[in-house]
């Protein structure tokens, strides 16, 4: 069997708080193929964000191994880690743009960190703003943008250094359905255009349906189910997924129809 | 009534302002130099406090607790006591423990702990998300400090600085005791010791004008930054 692009093995993470220890990730193992769009679902507090953050080591796992494209992420020194993080892009529910910088300079931040020369930076900023459709907003500040536009800047910043992996933590949860859809379309387009591997954390079933080819279900820090989106949605095994599907069916359709997975 | 008119006459007489004007310049000189010192030291100390926090960029639990305790201890001392304590230090640095130079160092050190804590608190208000976003593109700690936390907290820093500068001006009044002159010195020497009420009032008026100007400028700068960012 060939090696998967991303291999997660026996990941454990616990938070030690006043007297009690909260095990957030329990023995999580996963394989994700190159170029896949992989969904992680689970109810609030299941450990989805923690899992995602362990992949680029914004969070240090207590034990276990993460391998990406053959390199062991969990074994990197701090300096190596910084270089490695440039191969990841990450986008967030709250966008997390820098209010002190214009759109163009937010994107440029990634490139400065990667020590690109000024001329290259300018060129890349133009390219990437064109890609996300914000060329005419380049000198605006985040405070002047709509939620959807802000997330586009977030995506531009995440993609500036041509990462191999895009991590998305509830990127569309703060947006209205129409805007969310346009962001999902952008993510899809990026996946197709650059063959980027994308990991999507969400609690919206529509997002899974529309975007993901594979999905894993987290329940209290454990992966209780995984497989192709079609499999999991048509024959849900875990409690979480059964509830998800049920709730979704009882609503009239949901806002997104005709997804990739189904 | 004639008492009052006389006071007014004295208040605006050339003789009064021949004393007040140089005192204004002395006070401005003192506060400017101390302000720069306090600004630099406060930013440094505030950064160290922030970075070494248990949840900071470079956690150093024990050091942070000790350093924080020292900062707070200094903050709780009356400024007079701090000046007396720092004058020997001034002697080490500039070779004299009296006069304007020594007092400027002492004044800066008096207000630095308070300003440092305000700096730290302003830094802490920068959302974790912004820091994480910077980390996620591989930013080094100094880049996160200089390109994210510092600029993002700038409006709050400017406001803190304004407050600290005004606190500093109020402390310059004590400087007279140590031979550094200034408006506070005039108020005490002429007003209190020699019962020249008009001198005291003139000095106080000048101090008030300076403080109001500082406040207005600080607020205008902070608002200008916020407006530019369309927040
Ligand atoms: N820094 C922390 N200290 C202590 N506990 C934490 C910390 N971060 C997360 N947790 C706990 O870990 C658990 C999982 O958190 P996580 O953010 O990964 O959940 P999630 O699945 O992303 O939830 P949501 O859908 O609400 O975002 C929660 O119970 C949370 O309280
Ligand atoms: Mg989360």
């Amino acid at each position: 069997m060939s090696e998967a692009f991303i291999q997660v093995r026996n990941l454990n993470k616990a938070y030690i708080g006043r007297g009690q220890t909260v095990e957030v990730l329990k023995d999580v193992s996963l394989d994700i193929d190159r170029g896949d769009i992989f969904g992680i679902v689970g109810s609030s507090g299941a450990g989805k964000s923690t899992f995602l953050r362990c992949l680029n080591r914004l969070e240090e796992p207590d034990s276990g191994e993460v391998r990406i494209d053959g390199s062991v992420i969990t074994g990197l020194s701090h300096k190596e880690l910084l270089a490695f993080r440039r191969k990841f892009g990450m986008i967030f529910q709250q966008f997390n743009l820098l209010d002190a910088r214009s759109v163009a300079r937010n994107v440029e931040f990634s490139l400065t960190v990667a020590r690109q020369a000024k001329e290259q930076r300018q060129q890349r900023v133009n390219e990437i703003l064109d890609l996300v459709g914000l060329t005419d907003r380049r000198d605006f500040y985040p405070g002047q943008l709509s939620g959807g536009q802000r997330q586009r800047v977030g995506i531009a910043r995440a993609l500036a250094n041509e990462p191999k992996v895009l991590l998305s933590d509830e990127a569309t949860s703060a947006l209205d359905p129409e805007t969310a859809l346009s962001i999902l379309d952008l993510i899809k387009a990026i996946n197709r255009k650059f063959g980027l591997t994308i990991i999507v954390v969400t609690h919206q079933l529509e997002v899974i349906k529309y975007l993901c080819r594979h999905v894993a279900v987290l329940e209290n820090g454990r992966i209780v189910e995984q497989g192709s989106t079609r499999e999991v949605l048509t024959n849900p095994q875990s409690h979480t997924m059964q509830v998800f599907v049920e709730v979704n069916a009882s609503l009239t359709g949901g806002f997104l129809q005709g997804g990739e997975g189904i | 009534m004639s008492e009052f008119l006389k006071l007014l006459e004295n208040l605006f007489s050339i003789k009064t302002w021949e004393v007040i004007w140089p005192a204004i310049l002395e006070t401005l000189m003192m506060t400017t130099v101390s302000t720069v010192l306090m600004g630099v030291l406060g930013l440094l100390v505030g950064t160290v406090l922030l970075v070494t926090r248990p949840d900071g960029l470079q956690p150093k639990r024990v050091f942070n607790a000790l350093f924080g305790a020292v900062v707070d201890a200094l903050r709780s001392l009356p400024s007079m006591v701090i000046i007396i304590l720092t004058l020997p230090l001034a002697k080490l640095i500039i070779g004299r423990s009296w006069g304007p130079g020594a007092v400027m160092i002492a004044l800066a050190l008096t207000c630095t702990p308070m300003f440092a804590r305000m700096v730290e608190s302003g830094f802490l208000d920068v959302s974790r998300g912004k820091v994480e976003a910077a980390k996620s593109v591989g930013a080094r700690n100094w880049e996160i400090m200089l390109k994210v936390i510092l600029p993002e907290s700038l409006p709050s820093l400017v406001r803190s600085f304004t407050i600290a500068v005004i606190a500093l001006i109020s402390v310059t009044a004590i400087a007279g005791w140590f031979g550094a002159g200034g408006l506070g010195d005039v108020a005490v020497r002429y007003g209190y010791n020699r019962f020249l009420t008009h001198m005291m009032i003139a000095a106080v008026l000048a101090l008030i004008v300076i403080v109001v100007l500082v406040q207005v400028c600080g607020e205008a700068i902070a608002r200008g930054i916020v407006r530019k960012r369309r927040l």
Side-chain angles (χ1 to χ4, degrees), chain A residues 132-152:
Chain A
V132 300
L134 282 180
T135 304
D136 56 337
R137 296 282 187 279
R138 58 172 297 136
D139 294 321
F140 281 46
Y141 281 80
Q144 295 169 281
L145 300 179
S146 70
Q149 291 170 331
R150 287 185 205 189
Q151 195 57 287
R152 283 169 189 273

Side-chain angles (χ1 to χ4, degrees), chain A residues 53 99-100 113 115 141, chain B residues 130 132 140 143 152 228:
Chain A
R53 292 150 46 79
D99 295 321
V113 162
R115 295 284 181 272
Y141 281 80
Chain B
K130 288 177 184 171
E132 297 232 308
R140 300 149 190 86
E143 287 169 321
E152 291 296 310
K228 177 165 178 257

Side-chain angles (χ1 to χ4, degrees), chain B residues 57-203:
Chain B
L57 292 170
Q58 197 89 237
K60 302 236 176 332
R61 218 171 255 278
V62 178
F63 171 81
N64 184 267
L66 290 176
F67 191 55
V70 171
V71 169
D72 291 335
L74 286 176
R75 203 157 56 131
S76 69
L77 294 180
S79 38
M80 187 75 164
V81 175
I82 298 194
I83 292 181
I84 293 167
L85 286 176
T86 48
L87 286 177
L89 186 70
K91 185 163 183 136
L92 276 181
I93 301 173
I94 61 168
R96 287 199 305 188
S97 63
W98 53 273
V103 168
M104 282 186 277
I105 292 175
L107 288 178
L109 291 179
T110 306
C111 297
T112 296
M114 170 191 67
F115 180 52
R117 277 297 189 196
M118 287 198 289
V119 166
E120 183 197 17
S121 140
F123 284 168
L124 280 172
D125 283 340
V126 176
S127 78
R128 298 197 73 79
K130 288 177 184 171
V131 174
E132 297 232 308
K135 280 188 181 174
S136 79
V137 296
R140 300 149 190 86
N141 284 345
W142 69 265
E143 287 169 321
I144 294 175
M145 210 49 237
L146 288 184
K147 299 184 180 193
V148 179
I149 294 178
L150 195 65
E152 291 296 310
S153 59
L154 201 55
S156 130
L157 286 186
V158 170
R159 291 205 170 93
S160 303
F161 192 58
T162 308
I163 296 173
V165 170
I166 289 171
L168 205 149
I169 292 172
S170 75
V171 185
T172 57
I174 305 175
W177 289 90
F178 303 95
L183 286 166
D185 185 39
V186 168
V188 172
R189 267 195 299 141
Y190 292 80
Y192 183 74
N193 295 350
R194 291 202 232 155
F195 305 104
L196 296 171
T197 315
H198 61 277
M199 279 293 200
M200 188 161 76
I201 294 178

Side-chain angles (χ1 to χ4, degrees), chain A residues 4 18 67 86 94 102 105 118 125 137 145-146 149 168 192 196 198 257:
Chain A
R18 298 171 220 89
R67 245 174 216 272
R86 280 167 221 141
Q94 297 307 327
S102 66
R105 301 234 308 125
K118 178 135 189 133
V125 166
R137 296 282 187 279
L145 300 179
S146 70
Q149 291 170 331
S168 161
R192 231 174 262 142
L196 206 67
I198 303 179
Q257 304 293 338

Side-chain angles (χ1 to χ4, degrees), chain A residues 13-17 22-25 40-53 59 93 169-170 201-203 218 221, chain B residues 128:
Chain A
K13 171 80 191 173
Y15 287 112
I16 301 152
V22 190
E23 287 182 67
V24 182
L25 294 177
I40 313 257
V41 275
S43 44
S44 194
K48 306 179 296 291
S49 299
T50 308
F51 172 74
L52 205 65
R53 292 150 46 79
E59 207 78 68
Q93 180 171 4
D169 194 350
E170 308 272 14
V201 160
T202 183
H203 55 244
L218 267 179
Chain B
R128 298 197 73 79

Side-chain angles (χ1 to χ4, degrees), chain A residues 14-256:
Chain A
Y15 287 112
I16 301 152
R18 298 171 220 89
Q20 63 180 35
T21 307
V22 190
E23 287 182 67
V24 182
L25 294 177
K26 300 168 197 161
D27 217 25
V28 173
S29 296
L30 264 187
D31 279 350
I32 298 173
D33 297 329
R34 192 191 292 272
D36 199 1
I37 306 186
F38 194 102
I40 313 257
V41 275
S43 44
S44 194
K48 306 179 296 291
S49 299
T50 308
F51 172 74
L52 205 65
R53 292 150 46 79
C54 280
L55 294 183
N56 61 355
R57 274 178 59 189
L58 284 179
E59 207 78 68
E60 291 293 341
D62 297 332
S63 65
E65 193 182 86
V66 177
R67 245 174 216 272
I68 297 188
D69 208 7
S71 334
V72 183
I73 308 295
T74 33
L76 298 176
S77 70
H78 184 69
K79 210 176 158 188
E80 293 169 321
L81 179 64
L82 293 185
F84 212 88
R85 279 194 186 139
R86 280 167 221 141
K87 297 186 183 174
F88 289 89
M90 194 167 194
I91 54 178
F92 309 84
Q93 180 171 4
Q94 297 307 327
F95 321 123
N96 296 336
L97 302 180
L98 301 180
D99 295 321
R101 288 171 171 250
S102 66
V103 166
R105 301 234 308 125
N106 261 283
V107 178
E108 199 184 355
F109 180 77
S110 306
L111 302 165
T112 313
V113 162
R115 295 284 181 272
Q116 292 220 18
K118 178 135 189 133
E119 235 168 72
Q120 271 175 297
R121 294 205 302 258
Q122 233 99 67
Q123 197 187 333
R124 181 69 185 148
V125 166
N126 292 339
E127 258 173 48
I128 204 87
L129 286 182
D130 187 44
L131 177 77
V132 300
L134 282 180
T135 304
D136 56 337
R137 296 282 187 279
R138 58 172 297 136
D139 294 321
F140 281 46
Y141 281 80
Q144 295 169 281
L145 300 179
S146 70
Q149 291 170 331
R150 287 185 205 189
Q151 195 57 287
R152 283 169 189 273
V153 180
I155 291 173
R157 171 176 64 186
L159 294 183
N161 286 324
E162 304 181 38
K164 296 178 178 175
V165 183
L166 180 67
L167 307 173
S168 161
D169 194 350
E170 308 272 14
T172 56
S173 301
L175 303 174
D176 65 82
E178 199 183 329
T179 311
L181 183 57
S182 78
I183 294 295
L184 295 182
D185 280 332
L186 177 61
I187 293 176
K188 254 190 191 180
I190 289 160
N191 169 260
R192 231 174 262 142
K193 197 162 174 183
F194 305 110
L196 206 67
T197 308
I198 303 179
I199 305 177
V200 179
V201 160
T202 183
H203 55 244
Q204 295 171 300
L205 195 60
E206 293 93 334
V207 172
I208 297 290
K209 272 194 200 172
Y210 194 70
L211 210 55
C212 303
R213 300 194 196 108
H214 294 93
V215 59
V217 184
L218 267 179
E219 222 168 74
N220 292 322
R222 245 181 244 290
I223 294 198
V224 289
E225 182 171 10
Q226 63 172 309
S228 76
T229 305
R230 185 198 302 269
E231 261 167 43
V232 172
L233 288 189
T234 48
N235 187 18
Q237 300 295 313
S238 62
H239 176 70
T240 303
M241 208 61 207
Q242 283 164 358
V243 173
F244 261 55
V245 172
E246 212 168 290
V247 169
N248 192 66
S250 70
L251 300 170
T252 48
F255 68 88
L256 304 169

